[in-house]
Amino acid sequence: MSYERNGCPIRFGLGILGDKWSLLIIRDLMFKGRRYYGEFLSAGEGISTNILADRLARLEDADIIHKTPDPAHGKKIVYCLTEKGLDLMPIMFSIMDWAEKYDDQTEVPREFIKELRNQPKSLRRKILASLK
Amino acid sequence: MSYERNGCPIRFGLGILGDKWSLLIIRDLMFKGRRYYGEFLSAGEGISTNILADRLARLEDADIIHKTPDPAHGKKIVYCLTEKGLDLMPIMFSIMDWAEKYDDQTEVPREFIKELRNQPKSLRRKILASLK
DNA sequence: AGATATCCTTGTTTTTTGCAAGTACGGGAG
DNA sequence: CTCCCGTACTTGCAAAAAACAAGGATATCT
């Protein structure tokens, strides 16, 4: 599905947010410190290699992520979130907030949720710092 | 895809948030005042009848929406968001906030975005009131 | 020089989605 | 009372997407 612009903000976000594999990739980049193709592949979610390659390409096309060759490994590629991608953080925070309320088996640390709710800007700065 | 619980909040939300048709149905219920099967069908998004029926069933199974027969029309069914579904509002607000920044063709009124950013609780109350 | 790692691509199968037609039933019109 | 329309779907089939398994190109390591 291509990005169809008809002015609706929810529909605008669908190409990324309405796709489970894209959400998981963004999660891994944003919160799990995963940056390489192999790390996404072995994240335990069961994604197929052709789908992973496809989603990475789409996210790059949408300027959500950016890829660069790893200087230390000529064959490796490092993926990172762009500013547009990092600006998805409030959405991810909201999802975590909602899930903490409705998932009785959630494993997010209480301190994380507390900070997420009370000081989201501070939490955001910490996460941004850890991604540098 | 069934709801697989492994403690991750993003993954927990995937069955709903990682599905474009579910997001659009929630949007229509939450912000567009659409409550009937026929209204979702003719929202202009191109959904097929079997997919709409399937997604409504899934959202009901997940306790996101609730359906009741329309007292005024014996054959009509009214769909509405449950408390769990209404609690998705901050997520939808975040998506709109993000889209307003990155969609140069967004049609969300400026006043809506302003209130969304400055007084989300007030906006939430207004929307809840309009859904009663 | 050969083996391994890395990031994919390719071909095929399976699953999901979209399309078109049809169904069951309640209510309204005549 | 009967017929027709509206409503919410279901069904069968075709098309598209996803999943599976194997393989390829290339850089790095031993």
Side-chain angles (χ1 to χ4, degrees), chain B residues 17-29:
Chain B
L17 299 162
D19 176 67
K20 81 175 232 181
W21 295 119
S22 298
L23 274 175
L24 289 172
I25 291 167
I26 292 165
R27 174 203 68 182
D28 287 356
L29 278 162

Side-chain angles (χ1 to χ4, degrees), chain B residues 25-87:
Chain B
I25 291 167
I26 292 165
R27 174 203 68 182
D28 287 356
L29 278 162
M30 198 172 279
F31 303 116
K32 304 282 190 176
R34 292 176 182 135
R35 307 169 11 122
Y36 301 103
Y37 178 100
E39 293 179 324
F40 302 129
L41 194 59
S42 53
E45 302 288 357
I47 193 169
S48 300
T49 55
N50 53 326
I51 300 302
L52 178 53
D54 174 76
R55 294 307 191 271
L56 288 171
R58 288 197 209 176
L59 287 169
E60 194 184 1
D61 284 347
D63 194 28
I64 299 295
I65 67 175
H66 180 64
K67 74 180 186 184
T68 53
D70 188 326
H73 291 85
K75 205 44 165 65
K76 275 195 166 185
I77 292 179
V78 183
Y79 291 94
C80 61
L81 288 161
T82 59
E83 182 186 342
K84 184 177 175 183
L86 288 166
D87 275 345

Side-chain angles (χ1 to χ4, degrees), chain B residues 80-130:
Chain B
C80 61
L81 288 161
T82 59
E83 182 186 342
K84 184 177 175 183
L86 288 166
D87 275 345
L88 293 167
M89 204 177 293
I91 300 171
M92 307 303 273
F93 281 174
S94 298
I95 296 173
M96 290 168 156
D97 198 349
W98 177 84
E100 194 276 338
K101 183 171 179 178
Y102 289 105
D103 181 9
D104 51 15
Q105 295 176 22
T106 192
E107 287 174 0
V108 178
R110 286 177 168 282
E111 292 73 22
F112 188 92
I113 292 293
K114 203 178 277 183
E115 184 160 14
L116 182 154
R117 286 170 178 160
N118 300 329
Q119 296 168 324
K121 287 186 161 79
S122 168
L123 180 56
R124 173 186 161 86
R125 278 197 295 274
K126 282 179 183 175
I127 293 171
L128 288 182
S130 78

Side-chain angles (χ1 to χ4, degrees), chain A residues 37-38 49 75-76 79:
Chain A
Y37 179 101
T49 54
K75 201 51 164 61
K76 275 193 165 186
Y79 291 93

